[in-house]
Amino acid sequence: MNDNFVYRYGDNLYINLTNKCCNNCDFCIRNNGDGIGDSGNLWLSREPEASEVISLIDSFADYDEIVFCGYGEPTYKTEIMVEVAAYAHSKGKKTRLNTNGLGNLINGRDIVPELKTAIDVMSISLNSHTKEGYDAVCHSVFGLDAFDEMLNFTKECVAEGIETVVSVVAVEGVDIEACRVLASGTGAKLKVREYIA
Ligand code: SF4
């Protein structure tokens, strides 16, 4: 089986480091199929080393940015992500991390100082304006603590000067205006995403 560690989506290269995730979101794209666009199957038989990812990046001729994204939560592989991001920067490319914002809990340490130089744009899933609402759709193994931890991670990224965006998926029951107020309080921008069926 050929694992799809790196794939093109739009003008960017997406990096698929792991299938692990501490959440089980109702709207997770993983519930609907094995990939996105022309990615191929994003379920992995193993996790890659940084050197493998870097070699694969070099096999793509032209792309805009490097995006660390699913099929899983990339902060499970923080060290590898930081190494790959440094390589992307050495090639003059910007980096983005799509994350659930629970990386400090996942790693048992504060990872924001490591991400500060590695990640140019932090995109964090906000998903709700309350911890109960978050728990109802994200079903995190961290329970009701997950929501506050995600908000703290967001505020820390903003404080460290990382361009930080929080996102909500426009599904029934999500109060977009309340999310906008909450996002504003963290200093992050809000992005409303459409549900991808
Ligand atoms: S945090 Fe992301 S990868 Fe994890 S279940 Fe939710 S949408 Fe899927």
Side-chain angles (χ1 to χ4, degrees):
M1 172 179 172
N2 284 329
D3 288 305
N4 286 315
F5 301 132
V6 179
Y7 61 96
R8 182 187 290 278
Y9 186 65
D11 294 328
N12 298 326
L13 285 190
Y14 280 65
I15 313 297
N16 181 26
L17 296 177
T18 184
N19 292 147
K20 291 190 193 114
C21 190
C22 52
N23 287 4
N24 184 17
C25 303
D26 290 339
F27 52 78
C28 183
I29 197 168
R30 305 188 304 178
N31 298 332
N32 301 330
D34 295 333
I36 182 168
D38 298 326
S39 68
N41 191 336
L42 295 178
W43 294 108
L44 304 176
S45 64
R46 64 181 179 86
E47 294 173 337
E49 299 296 329
S51 58
E52 293 176 89
V53 175
I54 287 168
S55 294
L56 287 165
I57 289 172
D58 280 342
S59 70
F60 287 84
D62 190 32
Y63 58 92
D64 285 348
E65 298 182 356
I66 293 287
V67 184
F68 299 96
C69 191
Y71 260 29
E73 169 51 40
T75 56
Y76 276 94
K77 309 301 293 182
T78 295
E79 291 88 350
I80 288 178
M81 185 165 51
V82 167
E83 198 173 334
V84 172
Y87 181 74
H89 283 159
S90 78
K91 294 290 181 183
K93 300 295 185 182
K94 285 186 74 172
T95 58
R96 170 159 52 98
L97 168 58
N98 291 354
T99 178
N100 61 21
L102 300 177
N104 288 349
L105 285 178
I106 288 167
N107 289 277
R109 68 176 193 279
D110 183 1
I111 62 170
V112 176
E114 295 160 62
L115 299 179
K116 179 181 176 182
T117 52
I119 302 299
D120 298 307
V121 179
M122 191 72 72
S123 180
I124 302 168
S125 300
L126 178 67
N127 296 328
S128 176
H129 69 291
T130 66
K131 62 174 66 179
E132 292 80 10
Y134 183 95
D135 190 51
V137 293
C138 295
H139 314 290
S140 179
V141 298
F142 300 116
L144 291 174
D145 292 340
F147 183 74
D148 286 342
E149 181 61 32
M150 174 272 297
L151 285 181
N152 289 337
F153 183 88
T154 301
K155 291 173 187 166
E156 195 183 345
C157 289
V158 171
E160 288 286 0
I162 305 172
E163 183 179 342
T164 305
V165 180
V166 293
S167 65
V168 291
V169 179
V171 293
E172 192 178 341
V174 172
D175 186 333
I176 300 295
E177 280 317 304
C179 289
R180 199 177 304 283
V181 171
L182 187 63
S184 174
T186 67
K189 298 175 197 158
L190 179 73
K191 181 175 183 183
V192 180
R193 296 190 289 117
E194 298 303 316
Y195 174 66
I196 301 175

